[in-house]
Amino acid sequence: MEYVYKGKLGPLPKSHKGVDGWILGFDRLEQNDPERLIEEGFLPATVVENKEYDPEIQTRSEPDIVEFDDHAEVTYTVTDKPLLGLQDAKKEKAKYEGRQIFKAKWDLEYITMGMYSPEEVAQLEADKETLFAYYKTEIEALIDGAGNALAVKNASYTWPTI
């Protein structure tokens, strides 16, 4: 559980110098004497806004904290991240996946050193074109067509076998 102390939200510390000058160990105090925590200024925090938060596609504001005598209520504002940024990130992820597929079949060092036969180079170029064409015609169109943050996240595709 999180607590509000002096306007800040966070977990209980391991220990704390109490109002009476004694050092308090909070590991047992939380269970055995929750009223003492309140006396020391640690208010149990309750999140009052239950909107789902997905950090992959959304941002959350700093907490808005309202303190009462025996508890604190915390509210966050959740908004979608900018659509273009999400689309660009999803495209970059797809490009990375495509490169990994290509590299799983073809050794880049062999390519650089010219160690593949002419037939293998022809197949390599065909595989590269297959992956590139799929990305340009299918994946980019799918992601660009996603009209909101959740649609971008859920955009699904299956790379062709090379």
Side-chain angles (χ1 to χ4, degrees):
M1 172 178 249
E2 291 197 303
Y3 289 81
V4 171
Y5 180 70
K6 294 184 178 180
K8 302 275 187 203
L9 180 67
L12 286 176
K14 296 285 184 206
S15 62
H16 172 75
K17 186 174 183 178
V19 292
D20 58 6
W22 289 90
I23 302 294
L24 301 172
F26 282 138
D27 52 343
R28 282 187 244 135
L29 194 59
E30 184 176 22
Q31 296 171 4
N32 299 334
D33 196 358
E35 294 301 317
R36 178 72 189 269
L37 289 175
I38 294 170
E39 290 171 16
E40 295 293 333
F42 291 89
L43 301 173
T46 304
V47 176
V48 294
E49 185 176 318
N50 291 327
K51 183 176 179 185
E52 292 293 321
Y53 167 60
D54 185 346
E56 185 178 340
I57 61 171
Q58 296 174 319
T59 58
R60 189 168 75 174
S61 68
E62 290 295 317
D64 179 29
I65 300 170
V66 178
E67 295 184 23
F68 297 93
D69 290 339
D70 62 345
H71 73 286
E73 293 181 353
V74 179
T75 305
Y76 294 97
T77 302
V78 176
T79 56
D80 286 346
K81 291 180 180 177
L83 184 60
L84 289 177
L86 291 172
Q87 289 171 323
D88 289 345
K90 184 84 170 193
K91 288 179 200 176
E92 286 303 314
K93 181 180 179 218
K95 288 178 192 177
Y96 176 79
E97 292 168 356
R99 287 191 305 270
Q100 296 307 307
I101 292 167
F102 183 80
K103 288 171 26 178
K105 182 173 180 181
W106 299 102
D107 188 317
L108 298 181
E109 187 175 341
Y110 274 42
I111 296 168
T112 304
M113 297 179 69
M115 297 177 73
Y116 284 120
S117 70
E119 296 80 22
E120 290 171 319
V121 170
Q123 182 60 52
L124 177 149
E125 291 299 327
D127 288 347
K128 183 167 59 172
E129 180 56 34
T130 298
L131 294 173
F132 183 74
Y134 183 77
Y135 171 79
K136 291 304 275 183
T137 60
E138 300 293 327
I139 296 174
E140 262 191 0
L142 176 69
I143 295 170
D144 286 342
N148 61 53
L150 188 58
V152 172
K153 178 182 178 178
N154 292 336
S156 178
Y157 48 86
T158 303
W159 285 95
T161 303
I162 57 169

